[in-house]
Amino acid sequence: MTTTGSPVLAGRADARPARPRPDGTSRAARNRRKWYEIIGLTGPAVIVFTVFVLAPMAFAVYYSLYRWSGYGWPTEFKGLDNYFGEYGAFKDPIFLDALRNNAIILVGSLAIQGPLALGIALLLNRNFRGRSVFRLLVFVPYVLSEVTVGIMWQLILLRDGTADSLLKNLGLGDLVTGWLADPSVVIWTMLFILTWKYTGFALILFLAGLANVPPELTEAAAIDGASWWQTQRHVTLPMLGSTIRIWMFLSIIGSLQVFDVIWVASSPAVRSLGASNTMATYMVDHGFNQREWGYGNAVAVILFVISFIAAVVFQRFVLRRDIEGALTTRKG
Amino acid sequence: MVATTLPQPRQRRPFSWGNPLTYVLALAVAAVSFAPVIYVILGGFRTTGQLAADPAGLPDPWIWHTYANVITQSKFWSELFNSTLIAIGTTLGVVVMGVCAAFVLSRYQFRGREALYTYFTVGLLFPAAAGILPLYLLLRDLDLANTYLGVIIPQVAFQLPITIVILRPFLAAFPAELEDAASIDGADRLGFFWRILLPLSRPALVTVAVLAFVASWNSFLLPLLVLQNEGLHTLPLGVQNFSAEHSQDTAGILAFTSLAMMPALLFFSLAERQIVGGLQGAVKG
């Protein structure tokens, strides 16, 4: 019934010459069987994805309209008070600080990790002995869990800890500051830790992208007398375009949902001042820990809307030409 | 200088020793990446007193009992077990569901196919963390809080979009003639999928499996909310618990942290080539 419904698709499906089926089943029976297979094979994935990824977002919208302790069914309807009311998120300076911190992390990540990873990728893409060992070492921060990384840097950056003592030994004692305690410094410390951790992710993507650049091209450039740098600049880099745009996309989404490292590495006291909060830590603090489920869900919805707008705008204006070529490989 | 070392054969350029600048830069980058890890591992061999007196020094003498204490007295092994179980469960779920869906999305012609694909890719457009609070409530109401499945199933769901995005082009790239040949040999579509496509897809399957495993191994927020029963805690939760409970025992925290990162480091050093290789298809430009 459906194969004939869509002339375009049916045309494509029937483009191959008809063959007698060994089992001699009718067209209708085959078609029915095909739909059983489609539903049977995609069903579990569709259900799991719908119930555990998309449905929670819909529930968040619903819950966010209530004041609710999380028990029973929400009854105390508040409309948009959790967003714009006197005690709504947009009236809370701590939440606005969290927004600002997310913005710092987003811009900082794009501006620092990309160029840094690109430089390292070009370096590690050269042929030299021991290259694979260097690659392995450079990926290490990305492999470690966010919690490990958070605890590790927390210990290193303790007051009068290793970092401070190293700085003093280098004669840079004046730089020593409350890396994790000073409210005006801590967000930059977090940005540093995130840079240390996630540059490796950009690097993995860029190295994979570089491996797709046909060696014939760089060889031809070299034969034409281009220097190494000229070759990178005019041949290799342009071919990385789609990879860079995908990384930017993933980095934007990642920056908006930063949670683990901040949660672990900066103390709740500093966070609650707004100094290092992000939307996600603020959300868990209020929704989960303080049982303000309606309010927490309002923050979730704001986080979702901001991410979605960012993603759609990025898709529309930057990723558009990669839609076929990047996340989904160009055919042929 | 590089130009002159470029050889004729086009398959594989032999490694040269490169120039010193390359090595200096590569060493500097590797040191910045790896030094903190070395510090944590070595720190576990020092006493808290030594660490306080000279934070940046080397172990002298080497102390082994901090590591021994962590292994024998903390919940390290049960947390390792929980992490492993959850990561394996997640990986199996992602690979099975992902490859089935990607198979249909790549090799069946039907109305609504692209819509279904878009439906999955929507998951890439927003952070999973945004839905974590209602997800927790849902898991609580389904009696999945404090269960392994309460972590595994949502992790499978989060990981499905990227898995399908990586697998679909890979499965679509096999020529239609392959399918025709299988059909002439009497295999129906499912037979073709099971006997021919799956074995040929192994590289891509390993890639998505590794990504799912690593994501699960490192995940923190979901287990933090779902697993309030300490007996079910995973290693990332364990690291945080340990550092909170033994906040004065710096050496102990360092030892626990380095033990907790060992499995990931070992696993990754074995799978690194596979990850970079597998992503090449996904980021093809």
Side-chain angles (χ1 to χ4, degrees):
Chain A
M1 64 218 164
T2 20
T3 352
T4 50
S6 160
V8 181
L9 288 181
R12 210 189 298 161
D14 295 341
R16 270 184 268 145
R19 257 180 284 100
R21 294 274 166 169
D23 52 1
T25 46
S26 73
R27 187 187 174 84
R30 283 204 310 274
N31 201 21
R32 204 178 319 120
R33 167 119 194 249
K34 184 180 93 171
W35 278 99
Y36 287 149
E37 288 171 14
I38 290 172
I39 291 165
L41 289 171
T42 55
V46 171
I47 291 170
V48 164
F49 179 69
T50 307
V51 173
F52 294 95
V53 177
L54 293 185
M57 284 314 315
F59 278 110
V61 175
Y62 173 73
Y63 294 145
S64 74
L65 303 176
Y66 290 82
R67 184 189 156 96
W68 183 37
S69 66
Y71 293 101
W73 198 247
T75 51
E76 205 177 325
F77 186 76
K78 287 289 188 185
L80 295 177
D81 274 8
N82 284 325
Y83 298 87
F84 305 105
E86 193 186 344
Y87 300 104
F90 287 114
K91 291 280 166 60
D92 182 358
I94 309 283
F95 176 73
L96 297 178
D97 282 342
L99 264 180
R100 183 207 55 197
N101 290 337
N102 272 114
I104 291 176
I105 290 167
L106 194 154
V107 174
S109 299
L110 289 179
I112 302 170
Q113 289 169 28
L116 202 58
L118 211 47
I120 301 171
L122 292 180
L123 179 77
L124 289 180
N125 203 43
R126 305 181 68 162
N127 277 303
F128 60 94
R129 210 167 286 270
R131 181 177 74 166
S132 52
V133 178
F134 283 112
R135 281 191 178 191
L136 215 52
L137 291 180
V138 170
F139 287 152
V140 161
Y142 173 60
V143 179
L144 299 180
S145 76
E146 280 78 0
V147 176
T148 308
V149 168
I151 302 267
M152 188 172 95
W153 282 102
Q154 191 184 38
L155 292 173
I156 294 174
L157 293 168
L158 275 182
R159 197 104 186 109
D160 295 323
T162 314
D164 288 358
S165 129
L166 272 178
L167 282 173
K168 281 177 193 149
N169 289 346
L170 291 170
L172 298 170
D174 291 347
L175 290 181
V176 168
T177 175
W179 304 111
L180 297 167
D182 182 342
S184 64
V185 173
V186 65
I187 185 63
W188 303 104
T189 307
M190 294 301 131
L191 181 61
F192 167 81
I193 301 175
L194 292 169
T195 306
W196 182 82
K197 167 119 177 71
Y198 289 111
T199 301
F201 173 65
L203 189 62
I204 288 190
L205 286 178
F206 292 169
L207 282 174
L210 283 175
N212 282 327
V213 177
E216 290 84 357
L217 280 183
T218 47
E219 280 164 29
I223 289 165
D224 289 346
S227 69
W228 180 78
W229 176 245
Q230 285 172 324
T231 312
Q232 306 304 321
R233 171 74 189 78
H234 297 288
V235 179
T236 315
L237 274 186
M239 299 203 62
L240 268 187
S242 69
T243 310
I244 293 173
R245 289 188 288 272
I246 293 170
W247 164 76
M248 288 176 75
F249 177 75
L250 296 174
S251 183
I252 290 170
I253 299 293
S255 299
L256 289 171
Q257 69 170 334
V258 165
F259 174 84
D260 303 5
V261 169
I262 312 270
W263 187 264
V264 171
S266 71
S267 72
V270 175
R271 268 208 327 270
S272 66
L273 293 173
S276 59
N277 252 340
T278 60
M279 282 187 278
T281 61
Y282 182 88
M283 175 184 84
V284 172
D285 254 333
H286 283 272
F288 190 77
N289 287 356
Q290 299 175 27
R291 310 263 152 209
E292 301 166 341
W293 286 101
Y295 186 67
N297 276 297
V299 176
V301 172
I302 297 170
L303 171 56
F304 169 76
V305 169
I306 293 177
S307 313
F308 201 76
I309 292 174
V312 169
V313 168
F314 194 80
Q315 284 271 22
R316 182 80 183 74
F317 293 104
V318 184
L319 264 181
R320 195 176 31 168
R321 49 186 153 158
D322 304 315
I323 295 269
E324 284 302 312
L327 279 176
T328 66
T329 323
R330 203 165 302 160
K331 285 267 176 68
Chain B
M1 54 262 142
V2 171
T4 55
T5 60
L6 282 176
Q8 301 305 93
R10 47 187 285 273
Q11 287 102 331
R12 220 157 208 276
R13 290 179 286 172
F15 285 106
S16 69
W17 280 101
N19 67 38
L21 184 65
T22 307
Y23 276 97
V24 171
L25 287 173
L27 263 178
V29 172
V32 172
S33 308
F34 204 60
V37 176
I38 295 279
Y39 166 78
V40 171
I41 296 172
L42 289 182
F45 290 107
R46 309 176 72 205
T47 64
T48 302
Q50 287 175 0
L51 284 161
D54 177 13
L58 287 170
D60 180 35
W62 290 66
I63 310 289
W64 294 89
H65 64 74
T66 319
Y67 275 103
N69 279 350
V70 169
I71 291 178
T72 53
Q73 288 175 18
S74 73
K75 305 185 184 79
F76 180 78
W77 293 107
S78 77
E79 286 156 2
L80 183 71
F81 173 80
N82 293 334
S83 277
T84 310
L85 192 78
I86 289 175
I88 290 177
T90 302
T91 308
L92 281 178
V94 169
V95 170
V96 171
M97 283 188 204
V99 78
C100 287
F103 172 62
V104 169
L105 288 170
S106 62
R107 304 211 71 101
Y108 281 67
Q109 302 287 347
F110 62 96
R111 194 151 49 142
R113 186 177 79 160
E114 293 314 304
L116 186 60
Y117 181 62
T118 307
Y119 184 71
F120 280 117
T121 52
V122 164
L124 293 173
L125 290 184
F126 58 84
I132 201 81
L133 293 183
L135 175 63
Y136 166 75
L137 294 169
L138 176 73
L139 293 168
R140 194 188 65 183
D141 293 344
L142 293 174
D143 275 332
L144 287 170
N146 278 315
T147 64
Y148 292 122
L149 279 180
V151 179
I152 292 174
I153 300 175
Q155 282 184 355
V156 170
F158 295 153
Q159 203 69 20
L160 273 175
I162 188 71
T163 303
I164 291 173
V165 161
I166 292 178
L167 286 182
R168 179 170 127 129
F170 194 92
L171 296 182
F174 293 108
E177 289 76 26
L178 203 62
E179 205 170 334
D180 293 340
S183 153
I184 289 165
D185 289 344
D188 58 8
R189 254 195 242 258
L190 291 181
F192 167 71
F193 174 53
W194 183 250
R195 287 204 293 275
I196 297 171
L197 217 52
L198 273 187
L200 287 176
S201 313
R202 232 188 70 191
L205 294 182
V206 175
T207 299
V208 295
V210 169
L211 289 176
F213 193 93
V214 171
S216 168
W217 190 267
N218 288 345
S219 77
F220 176 64
L221 178 53
L222 182 69
L224 178 74
L225 302 194
V226 175
L227 304 174
Q228 276 144 47
N229 176 351
E230 279 212 9
L232 296 172
H233 276 186
T234 55
L235 270 177
L237 298 178
V239 173
Q240 205 215 9
N241 296 342
F242 194 95
S243 96
E245 287 160 18
H246 303 77
S247 58
Q248 300 307 312
D249 178 12
T250 317
I253 302 174
L254 289 169
F256 194 104
T257 307
S258 42
L259 283 171
M261 65 194 181
M262 281 308 146
L265 287 181
L266 283 177
F267 181 71
F268 185 77
S269 56
L270 294 176
E272 180 253 347
R273 249 164 234 281
Q274 184 66 45
I275 296 178
V276 177
L279 283 173
Q280 278 170 26
V283 299
K284 199 172 232 167

